[in-house]
């Protein structure tokens, strides 16, 4: 695959955007009396060189990456699924249903994992159907369904599935038979992410369905002009993204938390949106972006420890990154202009 | 006429070069001088570099070389805000007003209350006929252009650049706009008027600059029309086109201003055909996928078929003279005319037994129009029925085929182009003579 | 029960020299000294870190813990402290890992939700000491601690029972778990001691930290006629609402009186510092061993705030008298006869509830009104 000048400018612009965000954040660290070089070094060491840190980073990266992969597909179709958070939670809830209520023992984690994924997919298909049949904006519906999923989670965690032994709002730990195995010392999710990424790349760039999705995203009118089936694109695209968010939710339940609690997701579904954008909605870039972003999220606590920066200030970094990424399209032009001058 | 003998020019651009990021050289040393109270025509075929040049004057595109002088002072125009500060305003080709608001609200929104006062004063003093109180979307295109010109003046502009304002107007609307510009010229305003229709340029402008391949081929008075034609087009294709009129019942031409029921008519023809029916919609942008290559822009149209997409794309590019670096260039990188020829070419070439073309030459220059006409006839000859919509009577007559006028949902008896009575067609188009 | 005595024994065994004067007292020599984790051993500096669920400025739970941290930071000159605030429940393991990497030897995790992560951390880092607040899981290098908050709640209940005119007390409650249920019953028990007619109305907000929900619940309770409001929520919101509506409320965990100068009757305070001091000195001297701290008035880990003059003098005296009894360990609020609202006898006259009964309490006393999920 040959890189066009535009792609090169874009890459340079992304690196530049991240560098500027890092530079500004260094200023913040200095403001709090820290040493940015030391802070970033330790952050990197804790997130990638420490064996436990690396495992945790990879766990976060795989959840984030699997959600982002799904988002990269719908975003390519120009559909804004803001509901990955809810689909993730519902995936965990459905897996919990299989474990706590049905008690389906056969197949170990496989049944809850697949049912979790499927439920996430169907949950995302609801806004898809509303969009397809009634033209309801999916941004609103997906966002609202996040709250529905969240309140459902509260309902079971505070109510029917609460651990009767302790009375605390946490469900009981799942038996060992249900737990996802590790792969090469890492959570199984990492392997799943690395399998899904090329599959989605193939879907998007080498199948007719992927082509139609992209056409629909670039120009809806043109897709209708060419007579494409809107239902397959809208409902199907949202279903795929929900499927993967649900898979991540079920995976985290079966592979790392082993239980449900009120803060089952601390905003992963929203962070995944940033990761997908950071990766230009490209399935082969998403895993890289999610690993870097997970490292950053994980390491942000090091900043709080080493540089005494309030944890909340990491949101500043996320915000900065987002702002810089939004401005990359302008930067692309400067860089193109500069490249021609040199 | 009025410009001669003035001491210092209002605006002078010298030796402007424009090189785009992909290496396209759109302007190769273009110079132009604009005097106060002048309407200066800027003509040239599609892709000649007209828009690029005025984008430099308006601060949208940064020139690779060249200088701009405003009232004799060398000036750098870095952005449209800069340009406006120097009294230059551009009315782009496409509508930029908010469709649901009235002209007045549009002006108030973008320029504030005092601009509204200024517009009222102008309208009163000069007796301008303009409708400022109807939502823009319900106005005719000619009226919208007039509002855009007034909006430009409301910002305090002394120089207004109009990029192809007439490409989608009926003859009556062109005349109306021409009247407005002449009135404003009398009040001391200056205009750069871009067009590829020489007849109207001769009628409206004081002086003209002809661009060809990014270079100035002529700059001066407008007296010798024939000479301008030859300068503007590299060959004799205009004359050739006008002389190749043929007649066939397989070519159905529907003549009429858009919005008279053409959509319903087109839909009727789009159904009930056996093979693939090519279709160019009234808005060709809805028939292309920006961000995708030319090949993919062919592929998306006939996705589930066993076709050599590369070969077909190459054939369209060649036979419709589409200027593109290669067939993997994103379609949005093409100039408007090239994009349109590509879409028309795709539809005509893919058609099996029928092809519906809505205003396929709108905005194209004469040479491109002649090219499209030739390909349409090629299709007719290979046995494909062509349904051709146009708003331009001259074009309908030139093209040949069986002509019907469309007016308020009604369709007149088809007449063959060589038997058509020009006056009767004109009457029918204006709603007179329908039984 | 005998925490303090045990501490003194251990203390005497190894460390008198180092921490000399810190606790003068009887030093008896027999003790089994913990051998297991003694990371600090001979070093000069001990590094301890706290993980907080919310911001240190929440003026409730986390604020009280941070007061405890500051207390030990000031008193123990071998100590270096650090804290990480606003750590979500399922992210404590990453934070612990990073604290360990940065060299922290004793780590306090101050929210129930950190329990499993703390245990996991204990497995990963056997040479570090972990102390988890409010949980029940321990291992050889993971201990637990909590304060007997129900003791001051009993005392504030006395104040409430004395000042109420409607005989309706309100309680804005976090989660229906034994800890909170204990607070409610103790509060109600105290109130009934001075006023046998009171009822206590409970509304669950299902959150430890949710000012909006706390406000809504408080207003609802006032709406049904409650004129004294107790609460288990991490902000001064309920006290503020009481002030706005001319009813009474309390401080919870740390002093909040400035949020409701007129409404403030008294308060239930925690003094985590004494627990931290004990843990850290043991860790520093290498005599720490895993156990459950459940300290109350007797150990100095809980206290009440100054009592408002609205409370009648004789009740005030009664409150202080019972407090002093608890400081001497000769009074226990949950002493029979105790009958729950379903009529079951929970303690025969004279019998005290055991620790395990207290820790698994899932019933309300007669006179507590409101739904109790999982009521036994
Ligand atoms: N943004 C651009 N990037 C690259 N090439 C461009 C761009 N805009 C125009 N061009 C090319 O420059 C040439 C002149 O285009 P333009 O100025 O739009 O011509 P005109 O307005 O006379 O039709 C064309 O070949 C066109 O393809
Ligand atoms: Mg142009």
């Amino acid at each position: 695959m040959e890189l066009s000048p535009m792609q090169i400018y874009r890459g340079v612009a992304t690196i530049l955007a991240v560098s500027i965000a890092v530079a500004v954040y260094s200023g913040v660290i200095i403001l709090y009396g820290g040493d940015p070089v030391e802070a970033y070094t330790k952050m990197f060491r804790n997130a990638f060189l420490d064996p436990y840190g690396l495992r945790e980073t990879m766990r976060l990266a795989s959840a984030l990456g699997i959600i982002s992969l799904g988002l990269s597909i719908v975003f390519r179709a120009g559909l804004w699924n803001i509901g990955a958070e809810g689909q993730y939670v519902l995936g965990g809830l459905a897996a919990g249903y299989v474990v706590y209520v049905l008690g389906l023992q056969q197949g170990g984690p496989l049944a809850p994992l697949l049912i979790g994924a499927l439920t996430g997919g169907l949950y995302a298909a609801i806004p898809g159907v509303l969009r397809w049949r009634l033209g309801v904006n999916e941004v609103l519906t997906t966002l609202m369904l996040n709250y529905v999923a969240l309140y459902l989670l509260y309902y079971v965690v505070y109510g029917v599935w609460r651990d009767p032994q302790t009375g605390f709002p946490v469900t009981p730990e799942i038996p060992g038979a249900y737990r996802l195995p590790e792969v090469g010392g890492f959570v199984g999710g990492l392997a799943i992410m690395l399998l899904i990424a090329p599959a989605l790349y193939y879907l998007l760039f080498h199948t007719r369905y992927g082509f139609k999705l992209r056409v629909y995203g670039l120009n809806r009118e043109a897709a209708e002009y060419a007579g494409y089936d809107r239902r397959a694109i809208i409902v199907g695209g949202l279903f795929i993204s929900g499927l993967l968010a649900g898979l991540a939710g079920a995976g985290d339940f079966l592979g790392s938390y082993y239980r449900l609690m009120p803060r089952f997701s601390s905003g992963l579904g929203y962070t995944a949106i940033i990761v997908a954008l950071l990766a230009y909605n490209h399935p082969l870039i998403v895993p890289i972006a999610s690993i870097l972003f997970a490292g950053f999220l994980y390491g942000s606590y090091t900043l709080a420890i080493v540089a005494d920066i309030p944890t909340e200030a990491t949101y500043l970094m996320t915000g900065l990154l987002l702002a810089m990424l939004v401005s990359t399209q302008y930067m692309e032009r400067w860089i193109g202009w500069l490249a021609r001058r040199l | 006429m009025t410009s001669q003998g003035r001491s210092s020019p209002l605006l002078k651009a010298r030796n402007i070069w424009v090189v785009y990021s992909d290496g396209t050289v759109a302007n190769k040393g273009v110079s132009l001088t604009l005097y106060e109270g002048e309407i200066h025509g800027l003509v040239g075929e599609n892709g000649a570099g007209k828009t690029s040049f005025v984008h430099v004057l308006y601060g949208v595109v940064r020139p690779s070389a060249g200088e701009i002088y405003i009232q004799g002072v060398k000036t750098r125009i870095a952005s449209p805000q800069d340009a406006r500060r120097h009294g230059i305003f551009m009315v782009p080709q496409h509508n930029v007003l908010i469709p649901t608001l009235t002209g007045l609200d549009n002006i108030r929104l973008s320029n504030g209350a005092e601009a509204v006062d200024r517009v009222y004063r102008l309208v009163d003093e000069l007796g301008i006929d303009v409708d400022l109180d109807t939502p823009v979307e319900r106005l005719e295109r000619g009226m919208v252009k007039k509002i855009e010109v007034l909006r430009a003046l409301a910002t305090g502009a002394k120089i207004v650049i109009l990029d192809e304002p007439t490409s989608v107007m009926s003859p009556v609307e062109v005349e109306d706009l021409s009247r407005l510009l002449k009135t404003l010229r009398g009040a001391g305003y200056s205009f750069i008027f871009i067009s590829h229709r020489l007849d109207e340029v001769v009628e409206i402008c004081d002086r003209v600059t002809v661009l060809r391949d990014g270079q100035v081929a002529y700059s001066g008075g407008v007296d010798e029309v024939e000479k301008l034609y030859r300068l503007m087009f590299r060959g004799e294709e205009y004359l050739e086109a006008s002389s190749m009129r043929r007649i066939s019942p397989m070519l159905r031409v529907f003549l009429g201003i858009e919005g008279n029921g053409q959509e319903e008519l087109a839909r009727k023809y789009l159904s009930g055909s056996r093979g693939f029916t090519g279709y160019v919609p009234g808005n060709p942008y809805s028939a292309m996928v920006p961000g995708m290559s030319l090949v993919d822009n062919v592929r998306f149209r006939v996705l589930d078929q066993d076709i050599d997409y590369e070969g077909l794309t190459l054939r369209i590019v060649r036979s419709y003279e589409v200027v593109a670096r290669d067939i993997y260039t994103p379609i949005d990188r093409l100039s408007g005319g090239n994009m349109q020829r590509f879409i028309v070419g795709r539809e005509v070439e893919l058609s099996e037994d029928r092809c519906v073309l809505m205003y396929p030459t709108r905005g194209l220059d004469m040479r491109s129009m002649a090219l499209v006409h030739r390909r349409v006839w090629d299709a007719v000859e290979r046995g494909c029925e062509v349904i051709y919509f146009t708003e331009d009577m001259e074009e309908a007559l030139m093209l040949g085929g069986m002509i019907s006028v469309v007016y308020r949902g009604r369709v007149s008896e088809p007449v063959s182009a060589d038997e058509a009575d020009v006056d009767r067609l004109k009457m029918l188009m204006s709603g007179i003579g329908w039984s | 029960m005998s925490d303090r005595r045990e501490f003194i024994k251990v203390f005497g065994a190894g460390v008198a020299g180092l921490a000399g004067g810190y606790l003068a007292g009887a030093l008896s020599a027999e003790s089994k000294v913990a051998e297991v984790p003694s990371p600090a051993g001979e070093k000069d500096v001990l590094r301890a870190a706290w993980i907080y669920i919310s911001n240190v400025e929440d003026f409730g739970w986390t604020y009280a813990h941070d007061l405890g941290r500051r207390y030990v930071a000031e008193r123990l000159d071998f100590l270096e402290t650090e804290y990480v605030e606003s750590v979500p429940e399922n992210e404590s393991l990453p934070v612990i890992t990073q604290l360990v990497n940065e060299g922290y030897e004793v780590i306090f995790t101050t929210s129930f939700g950190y329990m499993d992560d703390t245990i996991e951390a204990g497995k990963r880092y056997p040479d570090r000491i972990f102390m988890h607040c409010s949980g029940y899981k321990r291992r050889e290098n993971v201990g637990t601690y909590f304060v007997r908050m129900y003791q001051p709640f009993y005392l504030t209940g006395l104040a409430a029972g004395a000042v109420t005119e409607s005989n309706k007390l309100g309680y804005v409650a976090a989660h229906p778990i034994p800890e909170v249920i204990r607070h409610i019953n103790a509060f109600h028990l105290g109130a009934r001691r001075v006023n046998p007619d009171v009822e206590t109305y409970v509304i669950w907000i299902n959150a430890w930290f949710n000012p909006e929900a706390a406000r809504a619940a408080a207003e609802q309770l006032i709406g049904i006629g409650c004129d004294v409001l107790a609460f288990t929520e991490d902000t001064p919101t309920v006290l503020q609402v009481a002030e706005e509506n001319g009813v009474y409320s309390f401080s919870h965990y740390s002093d909040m009186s400035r949020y409701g100068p007129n409404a403030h009757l008294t308060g239930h305070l925690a003094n985590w510092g004494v627990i931290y001091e004990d843990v850290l000195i043991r860790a520093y001297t290498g005599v720490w061993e895993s156990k459950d701290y459940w300290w109350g008035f007797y150990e100095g880990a809980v206290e009440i705030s100054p009592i408002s003059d609205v409370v009648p003098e004789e009740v005030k005296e009664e409150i202080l008298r019972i407090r002093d009894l608890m400081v001497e360990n000769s009074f226990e609020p949950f002493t029979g006869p105790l009958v729950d609202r379903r009529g079951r006898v929970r303690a025969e006259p004279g019998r005290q509830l055991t620790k395990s009964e207290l820790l698994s309490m899932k019933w309300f006393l007669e006179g507590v009104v409101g739904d109790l999920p999982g009521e036994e």
Side-chain angles (χ1 to χ4, degrees), chain C residues 40-195:
Chain C
E42 310 300 315
K43 273 182 270 161
D44 298 323
V45 179
L46 181 71
R47 288 157 68 86
W50 280 254
I51 297 178
Y52 298 143
I53 187 74
S54 59
N55 198 279
V56 288
E57 269 129 41
D58 72 359
F59 289 104
W61 175 262
T62 294
Y63 181 69
H65 280 285
D66 203 53
L67 281 181
R69 180 189 65 83
R70 299 205 307 246
Y71 173 86
V72 284
E74 198 167 296
R75 291 171 61 115
L76 306 178
D77 50 13
F78 56 81
L79 187 67
E80 254 178 37
T81 71
E82 176 64 81
Y83 66 89
V84 185
E85 57 187 345
S86 303
V87 176
E89 274 132 358
N90 43 4
E91 282 177 31
S92 56
L93 192 53
V95 179
I96 293 172
T97 306
Q98 289 169 73
L99 284 168
V100 167
N101 286 347
E102 297 311 320
Y104 290 92
E105 297 144 312
V106 182
I107 294 168
F108 297 92
T109 54
T110 63
S111 177
F112 175 76
Y114 300 151
M115 180 165 68
D116 291 302
D117 280 358
T118 309
I119 294 296
E120 176 62 27
K123 287 184 202 151
R124 283 185 186 179
Y125 306 107
D127 61 340
R128 308 290 166 119
I129 291 174
F130 298 92
M131 286 298 291
H132 175 238
C133 180
S134 79
Y136 54 85
K137 291 190 185 169
R138 280 172 291 280
R139 50 190 315 281
E140 55 187 14
N141 64 334
V142 182
T144 50
Y145 64 104
F146 209 23
V147 288
R148 291 179 184 258
M149 206 53 168
Y150 69 90
Q151 294 181 338
F153 260 105
Y154 180 79
L155 299 178
T156 58
L158 262 78
V163 300
T164 179
E165 287 169 6
S166 64
N167 287 341
K168 284 180 180 171
L169 310 180
Y171 200 110
V172 176
H175 294 293
I177 58 171
E179 174 197 345
V180 181
I181 295 168
R182 222 157 45 228
H183 295 174
I184 296 168
N185 281 334
F187 178 74
H188 181 70
L189 204 55
R192 282 246 162 141
R193 182 186 180 105
V194 295
N195 182 349

Side-chain angles (χ1 to χ4, degrees), chain B residues 51 93 163-164:
Chain B
T51 299
Q93 219 169 325
D163 194 358
E164 305 212 14

Side-chain angles (χ1 to χ4, degrees), chain C residues 4 11 19 37 52 66 75 109 140 152 200 202 217 253 263 318 343 360 367:
Chain C
R4 184 186 222 170
F11 196 58
Y52 298 143
D66 203 53
R75 291 171 61 115
T109 54
E140 55 187 14
T200 301
V202 179
Y253 276 108
E318 175 74 350
S360 62

Side-chain angles (χ1 to χ4, degrees), chain A:
Chain A
M1 204 169 56
E2 193 196 329
L3 288 176
S4 71
M6 210 56 200
Q7 282 167 316
I8 294 171
Y9 300 156
R10 183 176 279 189
V12 174
T14 308
I15 292 169
L16 206 66
V18 173
S19 314
I20 292 174
V22 167
V24 174
Y25 206 65
S26 301
V28 176
I29 295 176
I30 293 169
L31 223 65
Y32 276 95
D35 171 359
V37 177
E38 185 206 356
Y40 290 136
T41 313
K42 288 191 166 170
M43 193 170 157
F44 181 80
R45 193 195 64 199
N46 278 335
F48 292 106
L49 303 183
D50 176 78
Y52 290 122
L54 183 65
R55 267 178 62 163
E56 183 59 28
T57 301
M58 290 304 161
R59 187 200 68 70
L60 195 60
S62 52
L64 210 51
I66 291 171
I67 303 173
S68 294
L69 281 169
L71 291 181
S72 70
I73 297 290
V74 261
F75 287 176
R76 283 270 177 174
L79 296 166
W80 293 100
N81 178 8
I82 311 298
E85 180 81 357
Q87 292 140 25
Y88 171 90
V89 167
L90 212 71
L93 281 174
Y97 186 80
V98 175
V99 173
Y100 296 127
V101 180
L102 300 182
L104 225 61
Q105 286 278 2
Q106 298 93 324
L110 211 60
L113 192 67
L114 293 182
I115 288 174
L118 209 66
T119 310
L122 292 175
Y123 198 54
I126 298 171
V129 171
L130 289 174
R131 166 93 215 203
W132 162 56
R133 292 302 290 259
L134 305 172
V136 183
N137 189 333
E138 76 281 359
V139 174
L140 296 176
T141 45
T142 50
L143 191 66
M144 303 219 279
L145 285 178
N146 283 345
Y147 294 98
V148 177
L150 202 64
Y151 284 113
L152 204 61
L153 174 73
Y154 290 167
Y155 172 73
V156 299
V157 172
Y158 289 124
V160 287
W161 296 352
R162 186 200 295 256
D163 189 346
Q165 300 254 283
T166 66
F168 282 96
V170 174
T171 62
E173 271 205 357
I174 58 174
Y178 286 115
R179 299 190 182 183
L180 276 178
E182 293 190 346
V183 177
F186 288 108
V187 288
L190 194 66
I192 297 177
M193 171 176 80
L194 295 177
L195 285 176
I196 292 175
L200 287 188
Y201 170 77
Y202 185 82
L203 175 81
L204 203 53
F205 292 103
H206 295 283
T207 67
R208 287 191 178 137
Y209 182 66
F211 187 84
K212 286 180 180 177
L213 278 178
R214 286 187 294 133
V215 167
Y216 190 80
L218 290 167
N219 188 355
R220 257 165 224 187
E221 272 186 274
E224 264 152 52
Y225 161 79
Y228 293 172
D229 180 6
R230 283 172 69 241
R231 181 183 58 178
I233 295 169
I234 299 173
V235 183
L238 279 161
F239 176 78
I240 293 174
S241 69
L243 190 78
L244 293 185
L247 181 70
D252 273 351
F253 170 66
L254 301 163
S256 50
Y257 299 143
Y258 307 131
R259 64 172 62 74
L260 296 168
M261 53 274 190
R263 300 232 6 212
F264 179 65
S265 173
S266 35
L268 268 187
Y270 298 112
T271 312
I273 296 173
I274 299 180
V275 172
L277 296 179
L278 191 68
Y280 289 98
N281 297 326
H282 195 296
L284 295 185
I285 306 180
V286 164
I288 303 167
S290 61
I291 287 172
L292 291 177
F293 211 85
F296 160 71
L297 285 180
Y298 179 83
S300 59
Y301 286 114
T302 300
L303 293 183
I305 298 165
V306 178
D308 277 333
I309 289 182
T311 325
E312 282 93 346
T314 51
Y315 300 130
L316 176 72
M317 182 71 172
T318 317
L320 260 173
L321 263 178
L322 196 62
M324 292 318 296
L325 287 173
V326 170
S327 56
T328 48
Q329 42 180 316
Y330 296 100
M331 285 203 260
E332 270 167 46
R333 278 188 234 152
W334 303 336
I335 294 165
W337 179 78
L338 214 67
R340 266 170 278 122
R341 284 286 158 118
L342 299 176

